[in-house]
Structure formats: C-alpha cells, structure tokens
Amino acid sequence: LYDSGQVLRREGQAWRLMELPPGGLRALTTGADGTVLGADSTGQMLQFVPESGSWVAYRTAPVGTWSVQTPAVGLRGSTWVLTSDGSIWVDRTQTAANTATVAPPSVFTRLLRWRNAGGGPSSAVAVGVDGGVFSLGVDGSPWEWGRNQRWTSVPGKFRAIAAGSGRKLWGLTE
C-alpha cells in the first residue's frame, strides 16, 4: 500500500495493480488462508473477492458503530480489528473466508458476533498464521492474547509489532 493509495499484488515475476474501492484504502492485511481485508478512508472494513476482483463490505461488521483503523486476519480466517478509538474487537462466530458470499445479517446479529477484547487503548494489533494475537498499547507496551481469553503483558517497548509463527512477537524499537 503506497502513499498514493495503490495496491499491488505479486503474481509470478510481476506486480499487478489491483482495483481500489471508491475512496481508496488506508489499511490492508492478508491471512494464510488467502483472505484479504482492508479499511477504506471512512473506516469501513472491506473484503477482497478474488472471483470478481472487487471489494465488498465485510458482511459481519457492525455498520456505523465503529471506524476500523487496522484489520487483521488470523488462524482459519479469524478476524480482529483495531478501531480508531484504540479498542480491539474479535469476530467470534465467523471466519473471514465465508462472509463475502452470504447475505448480510441484521445489525443486531452483527453486534452479537463481535467481542471487545478489552485491555487498554492500543495502537496496533498483529495476528500470526498460527493464531497468536498481539497488541501494542499506546505507551508502546506489547501484550499477548492468551488461551484464557485475556491480555498478558510482554516485556519491552516498541513503536511497531508483527506476529510471527509459533506465537513469536517481533518488535521495532524507536
């Protein structure tokens, strides 16, 4: 994703310029299962549909209730979202891979699907291919989402994080 808002995908030995949704994208993420999610300039979460080469509204996002800063895709298409207010949400009933082809559920049903993961305000969320989930507090402190469904502090101070396989966290210092 370039400052100009262009999205490129590597195909063989060449880069292919991908079609953008109206208004462009401000964030982009991919999952190991091939899921591609983005956030447009208004904070709406979108999903790329490879068959049509188009972007569609992510079917289970609570419409009008949040502004997506960063989407993240984990194990088997599990979807995590960092919102513009610094909260982190997880879609607990759907995988991203099967949401583009179904009719949108009611707003009430969409709200029930999402769980606020709690914790303090965050500046980043990162999800590894094996399901490891990490967040970065606004103060630079890293956190790991545990199997007990709670955040656990991880030593360090970073300005950016990335999740590797084997629940390994990568951090970029100041």
Side-chain angles (χ1 to χ4, degrees):
L1 187 63
Y2 288 92
D3 288 339
S4 63
Q6 295 176 323
V7 175
L8 302 168
R9 181 175 69 189
R10 185 81 172 158
E11 294 182 356
Q13 298 298 315
W15 288 98
R16 178 177 171 210
L17 183 63
M18 305 302 291
E19 184 177 330
L20 287 173
L25 292 174
R26 69 175 176 197
L28 181 69
T29 188
T30 62
D33 66 351
T35 300
V36 180
L37 298 176
D40 71 10
S41 59
T42 67
Q44 179 182 6
M45 190 159 63
L46 304 172
Q47 182 172 358
F48 182 73
V49 181
E51 297 80 16
S52 64
S54 62
W55 293 89
V56 297
Y58 186 77
R59 300 293 184 196
T60 64
V63 177
T65 60
W66 60 15
S67 176
V68 174
Q69 187 66 31
T70 307
V73 182
L75 189 62
R76 292 182 298 280
S78 65
T79 305
W80 292 74
V81 171
L82 172 67
T83 61
S84 57
D85 69 358
S87 60
I88 295 178
W89 294 77
V90 58
D91 182 346
R92 59 187 183 181
T93 60
Q94 286 287 111
T95 61
N98 67 12
T99 59
T101 58
V102 298
S106 71
V107 171
F108 179 74
T109 302
R110 285 184 248 179
L111 289 171
L112 289 177
R113 290 181 184 208
W114 290 89
R115 174 180 186 255
N116 186 322
S122 299
S123 62
V125 62
V127 182
V129 296
D130 58 357
V133 180
F134 300 91
S135 72
L136 188 63
V138 293
D139 64 353
S141 58
W143 296 82
E144 180 177 11
W145 183 253
R147 289 178 174 81
N148 63 355
Q149 307 290 294
R150 295 196 184 333
W151 293 107
T152 303
S153 179
V154 176
K157 288 282 186 196
F158 302 104
R159 65 180 168 109
I161 58 170
S165 63
R167 301 183 75 87
K168 292 201 173 43
L169 177 63
W170 289 71
L172 180 62
T173 62
E174 292 295 327

